[in-house]
Amino acid sequence: MSATPISHDRSPGAAQEPASSRGAIWFDALTGNATPAQGYPTTLLVADAPFAGSEARFISVVPDANHAYPRVRKGETGVIEGWAIAQAVHEVIAADQGKTPRPIIAIVDVASQAYGRREEALGLHQSLAGAAGAYAEARLAGHPVIALLVGKAMSGAFLAHGYQANRLIALDDVGVQVHAMGKSAAARITMRSVEDLERLAATVPPMAYDISAYATLGLLWRLVEVSNAQQPGTADLAQVDTVLRDALADIQADPTRGLASRLGAENRQASARVRAKLRAQW
């Protein structure tokens, strides 16, 4: 991976256009402006690029204002995206059989799963489960899987794209958020105002939207400070590159492939008790 100047050419011969999302910007930056692989929807960027002396597969979900499915035009993860993510992961699992499994780096900037009547009718739940299952299969097959959170990581979209990684890394930036749903949706569901939710979030970390509160839950492996998460410079890329390499080394030194290391944080004590009671009953 190299810290090269960023352009945003999506394909050979394409016009130069500004990337429209953090997912696209960081994909270009981390892959050295690699040409995305063909055969994927416009909302999914996939490329194999140099990383840590070898090669890694980079995957990012991006918006497409002209997508045939309106509910994914702002970077949501829908039916097509879920199956395409699963395809991108299964490709490297099949290609690396009998070889050293290459790392898979999920660049996470997903606004939500694509809530919509068509999506539900066409099996959105199966599509996103297929993506999550593919990442888990890759992890258990020995592929080091790293998720880099550069923007929003919301609801089922994050479960499908990134959450199954061996290590979760997030930029320490106000634009990076992890939650089950957006503030306005949460306010409607709970019949509270956004202001009420923000007051609760000040004392209940799982309800907070800022990444520092999420870090107290024990799921993140590292928070990375950068000077500009929206337009990373050379120093930002070098910093992220270092942390990604550290994560790779940490995974390779870990004989386990599970996610149990996420369960020990003080603010996950209730989750640990629930798991213990479930194990006792079953």
Side-chain angles (χ1 to χ4, degrees):
M1 186 173 69
S2 60
T4 56
I6 301 170
S7 68
H8 307 292
D9 191 11
R10 293 265 66 82
S11 62
Q16 293 287 324
E17 297 178 350
S20 56
S21 74
R22 290 188 179 196
I25 290 168
W26 281 94
F27 176 89
D28 285 339
L30 294 171
T31 64
N33 297 306
T35 300
Q38 300 298 304
Y40 290 97
T42 55
T43 43
L44 192 72
L45 303 181
V46 179
D48 294 315
F51 172 64
S54 184
E55 190 174 66
R57 169 148 293 198
F58 293 81
I59 305 173
S60 184
V61 177
V62 298
D64 177 3
N66 299 309
H67 199 287
Y69 287 77
R71 299 308 299 254
V72 303
R73 290 176 178 173
K74 296 181 180 179
E76 297 88 346
T77 304
V79 175
I80 294 174
E81 289 70 31
W83 290 127
I85 291 170
Q87 175 189 339
V89 175
H90 279 136
E91 278 182 354
V92 294
I93 296 174
D96 289 354
Q97 286 188 359
K99 307 175 185 176
T100 300
R102 83 190 78 173
I104 300 173
I105 299 177
I107 300 170
V108 180
D109 178 23
V110 285
S112 172
Q113 66 192 68
Y115 292 104
R117 184 173 298 178
R118 284 195 299 177
E119 284 79 5
E120 296 292 346
L122 292 173
L124 176 64
H125 61 295
Q126 293 177 318
S127 167
L128 299 189
Y135 276 121
E137 185 179 343
R139 173 168 49 78
L140 295 174
H143 289 270
V145 182
I146 305 169
L148 175 65
L149 280 59
V150 302
K152 291 182 177 179
M154 293 291 182
S155 68
F158 181 38
L159 300 182
H161 180 53
Y163 192 75
Q164 282 294 325
N166 298 85
R167 301 292 184 269
L168 297 175
I169 299 168
L171 304 184
D172 190 3
D173 179 78
V174 68
V176 179
Q177 300 178 353
V178 183
H179 215 283
M181 61 182 72
K183 285 185 181 180
S184 58
R188 288 194 299 273
I189 293 295
T190 61
M191 301 181 71
R192 297 173 185 268
S193 67
V194 170
E195 291 73 20
D196 286 341
L197 293 181
E198 290 177 339
R199 280 192 290 271
L200 286 170
T203 56
V204 184
M207 295 191 66
Y209 283 80
D210 62 285
I211 195 63
S212 59
Y214 183 77
T216 69
L217 302 179
L219 290 94
L220 287 182
W221 186 71
R222 288 285 189 281
L223 267 177
V224 187
E225 292 187 8
V226 293
S227 61
N228 191 334
Q230 184 65 41
Q231 292 289 342
T234 301
D236 294 329
L237 291 176
Q239 172 72 356
V240 170
D241 182 28
T242 297
V243 176
L244 289 173
R245 290 169 183 260
D246 290 346
L248 176 62
D250 193 61
I251 294 168
Q252 291 172 333
D254 185 354
T256 69
R257 293 296 175 186
L259 304 177
S261 62
R262 301 178 179 180
L263 300 175
E266 182 178 352
N267 282 338
R268 294 207 76 188
Q269 293 181 26
S271 177
R273 287 198 295 272
V274 169
R275 288 171 177 270
K277 288 184 177 295
L278 287 172
R279 280 196 297 270
Q281 287 189 15
W282 291 355

